[in-house]
Structure formats: structure tokens, C-alpha cells
Amino acid sequence: MVKVLVVGYGVIGQRLADGVALQKDMELVGVVDAAVTLSTRSLKEKGMPYKLYAAFPEAKEKFEAAGIPVSGLLTDVLNDVDIVLDATTGGVGAKNKALYAQHGKKAIFQGGEKNEVADVFFHGYANYEKGLGADFLKLTSCNTTGLIRAVDCLDRKVGIEKVAITIVRRVADPGDYHRGLTNALQVDKAPSHQALDLMTIMPHVDATGILVHTPVTHGHFITVVATPKKDISAEEVIAAFKEHDRIRVVRLEDGFLGNASIFKYARDLGRPRGDLYEICVWEDTVVKSGKDVMFGIHIPQESVTIPESIDGIRAALEMQTDRLEAVETTNKYLGLGAWK
């Protein structure tokens, strides 16, 4: 049984812990955090389903003062694990890397870290093989993760020559206040990093894109214009997406009118926190323009990277050397594809 530690129990860390706990061939040893937050307070109120370790002695004192049980320090538990999922704030993971290396532990970092922190910039479907046996992996961002899922799906069907994307980016996660209250759209300089990141993972695809920040919280929206190497009909594109266990095909006529509809549906399904691991593609947006194919994607930003993070564990520890066997195992334990 592979032993996993999650460092950073925030938006992503909570979801990583839950995702790992569902894997029948992995053991979640515990979670690590550095501050008394709503996340760690809720951990206590839920009866401490996961052991909590403090990032450093001062943090341990603060947890104990708040009545939150602590099982020890990060340095105490590192010797008991095989791999670390680092979900700390951007920049902290890079500092933690030296500690992981000192203890001889592999680690997987989230999209907020710079690429230089890792040996491999990783995506479970698109370049699983490159992560095999690696000591340090870095995940793509939420938008890039979902974008690559869709582009890789079509690329393996007919080959993709190039893509152009427009991202309508949610400005903050639900519950965040640090970005303030706004009534504006903010445009970033093109090309967006998501397009550049896609080319790092899939260098044979030419990609560019525009990003617009918008004052919503429940998900990003991406339009994709893809140029296939072989002609493919809109119906064939939809069929390809429906085969993919991390892609849901939804329709306007069924009530999926936008990001809020999808978030509501996830809550109605009883998904914890209203999370979806899957991206959603609107069937109604899949159209042809000459040879090009256009479609629209919903990205559930808080949870979309969890499956690929678990794929990273499988690759780094060589639990499965075959890409499809690895992702299918992750999918099975997360319940992905069960709706089909």
C-alpha cells in the first residue's frame, strides 16, 4: 500500500486528501498545514477524519491553542510516507522541496509553482510516460488540465495541428475576498500561459490564446478552435468526448445553461462541496468552421486537477507503467464514468 502525505490543507489540499482516501491501493497518512484556518477548524468539527501534522513548531502551538488535535510535525511524518502531494501556496512548495529531498521523498507540486521546481511538467493523459519514476512532478493549472484533456482526446483520434483558445476566467474561488468586489472584465496580454503550457506538454500542437478575468466564482469557461490533421465531423467530436471518463457532454436543453447550472447539478448529485472532477463540454457548442472544430468547456477549478494529481502518484512510484491502466484505475476509485 502506497503511503501518501498531503502538505497544505486548503482549497486543493482538502480535495487531494479526499481523492487519495478513495484510492484502494493508497493510504493517506495525514495532512499538513501551517495555520488555523476554516479548513483546519472544519477538520476538527468533522472528528479529525485525517491526522493533522503541523508544518513547524509554532504552527503546532497555534493548533493546540485552538483545540485542534495535532499528531506531530511535518518532519516527524515524512519518514513514514512514500510520496508527498504539495498543495501549499505558490512559492512555498519550492522551499519545501529541499526538505523532501533531504528525506529522500518524491513529491508532486500543484500548478501555482514554477516549472523549474520539478523534473517533469505532468498530465496523466497526455504525457504519463514521462512521469514514470520521476522524483518531482508538477501539475498543470486547472484551466490547462481541462484544456489538455479535451485537446489530447481529439489529438489521439485524428491528430491536432493547432488550437486557439479564449478563457473566461473566474476571478476567485467561492469564499475568497482577497480580490475585492468588482464590476469589470480584465484582459491579460496574449498569449495566455495556458496555451504556452499546453505546448510544453504537447509540443507537436501549436497553441495560442486570450484570457479574460470575470467576477464570478463557479468555474472557468474556455472556447477552443482546433485544427485537426484529418477531417472530423461535429458528431464524431461529440462521440469522442463521450468516450472519455473525465469529460461530461452536457446540453442546454437539459438545463445546463452555464457555470451555475453545473455547480448546482454537482450539489444535487451529492458531490462533496459541489465538486466535479470532470470537465463539461456543451454539445450545443461543437461546430465546424471549414476544417476547424470549435467547442466550449466548463472547468471546475477547485477539483479538476485531483485525478491528474493521483495519476502523478502512480507514475512517480511506477504503480502502473501503462498510461491507460493508470488513469483507468484512478477513474475507477473516483467513480468517474459511472454516470454513463
Side-chain angles (χ1 to χ4, degrees):
M1 184 77 74
V2 167
K3 295 183 177 181
V4 183
L5 179 70
V6 173
V7 176
Y9 195 66
V11 171
I12 301 298
Q14 293 179 75
R15 291 163 170 85
L16 287 174
D18 292 349
V20 170
L22 291 171
Q23 306 298 302
K24 304 300 183 185
D25 52 358
M26 299 179 189
E27 176 189 347
L28 178 67
V29 174
V31 300
V32 179
D33 210 84
V36 177
T37 63
L38 293 181
S39 300
T40 52
R41 289 184 189 278
S42 68
L43 191 63
K44 175 193 174 185
E45 190 167 334
K46 289 188 290 187
M48 302 302 294
Y50 310 134
K51 289 183 178 180
L52 174 65
Y53 295 85
F56 40 81
E58 294 82 2
K60 184 173 183 290
E61 293 174 4
K62 291 179 180 178
F63 285 132
E64 290 174 341
I68 300 173
V70 182
S71 297
L73 299 176
L74 169 59
T75 49
D76 298 329
V77 72
L78 270 178
N79 292 326
D80 300 329
V81 305
D82 298 304
I83 193 166
V84 176
L85 294 181
D86 190 294
T88 55
T89 304
V92 176
K95 296 177 181 177
N96 288 343
K97 179 182 176 180
L99 182 63
Y100 305 149
Q102 179 184 335
H103 284 76
K105 303 302 177 183
K106 295 174 181 282
I108 299 173
F109 302 92
Q110 294 301 301
E113 294 296 332
K114 294 185 183 299
N115 292 356
E116 299 77 59
V117 75
D119 306 317
V120 178
F121 195 26
F122 181 80
H123 190 282
Y125 273 84
N127 69 344
Y128 182 84
E129 296 80 3
K130 287 190 176 181
L132 290 171
D135 289 330
F136 299 106
L137 302 179
K138 196 200 89 138
L139 271 291
T140 53
S141 70
C142 51
N143 269 318
T144 310
T145 297
L147 172 66
I148 289 178
R149 273 188 207 168
V151 174
D152 174 75
C153 175
L154 297 182
D155 186 49
R156 293 181 185 275
K157 287 289 183 182
V158 294
I160 295 297
E161 180 181 327
K162 62 180 181 178
V163 296
I165 65 174
T166 298
I167 299 177
V168 182
R169 183 184 186 276
R170 69 93 184 91
V171 73
D173 287 329
D176 283 349
Y177 290 90
H178 65 282
R179 296 185 187 273
L181 305 177
T182 61
N183 181 26
L185 300 177
Q186 180 179 329
V187 179
D188 276 7
K189 182 178 179 180
S192 66
H193 83 78
Q194 292 86 358
L196 301 178
D197 288 349
L198 182 146
M199 289 191 289
T200 303
I201 298 285
M202 305 175 69
H204 58 287
V205 177
D206 184 26
T208 191
I210 294 171
L211 185 145
V212 181
H213 301 267
T214 184
V216 299
T217 60
H218 294 314
H220 310 291
F221 179 77
I222 306 178
T223 68
V224 181
V225 179
T227 302
K229 293 181 179 179
K230 300 177 184 177
D231 192 47
I232 183 172
S233 68
E235 292 73 22
E236 290 170 326
V237 169
I238 293 167
F241 287 150
K242 285 182 175 179
E243 292 173 3
H244 201 295
D245 284 346
R246 294 184 192 173
I247 300 176
R248 280 179 177 258
V249 177
V250 298
R251 303 188 304 171
L252 293 170
E253 66 183 78
D254 292 334
F256 294 99
L257 305 182
N259 63 332
S261 303
I262 291 172
F263 183 72
K264 179 183 183 301
Y265 189 63
R267 287 188 300 178
D268 291 344
L269 288 173
R271 295 288 185 92
R273 307 182 187 90
D275 286 345
L276 283 180
Y277 296 126
E278 316 90 89
I279 62 171
C280 296
V281 176
W282 274 271
E283 182 176 309
D284 317 73
T285 66
V286 181
V287 292
K288 294 287 295 291
S289 176
K291 184 181 178 181
D292 292 347
V293 179
M294 185 175 189
F295 53 91
I297 307 172
H298 169 81
I299 305 289
Q301 79 278 359
E302 298 170 294
S303 50
V304 70
T305 63
I306 306 310
E308 278 74 10
S309 299
I310 295 171
D311 296 340
I313 297 172
R314 300 186 180 283
L317 297 176
E318 298 183 274
M319 296 175 67
Q320 289 87 23
T321 55
D322 180 77
R323 177 183 69 91
L324 290 179
E325 181 185 353
V327 298
E328 286 169 4
T329 304
T330 299
N331 292 347
K332 176 178 69 173
Y333 292 138
L334 292 179
L336 292 169
W339 65 86
K340 295 182 181 180

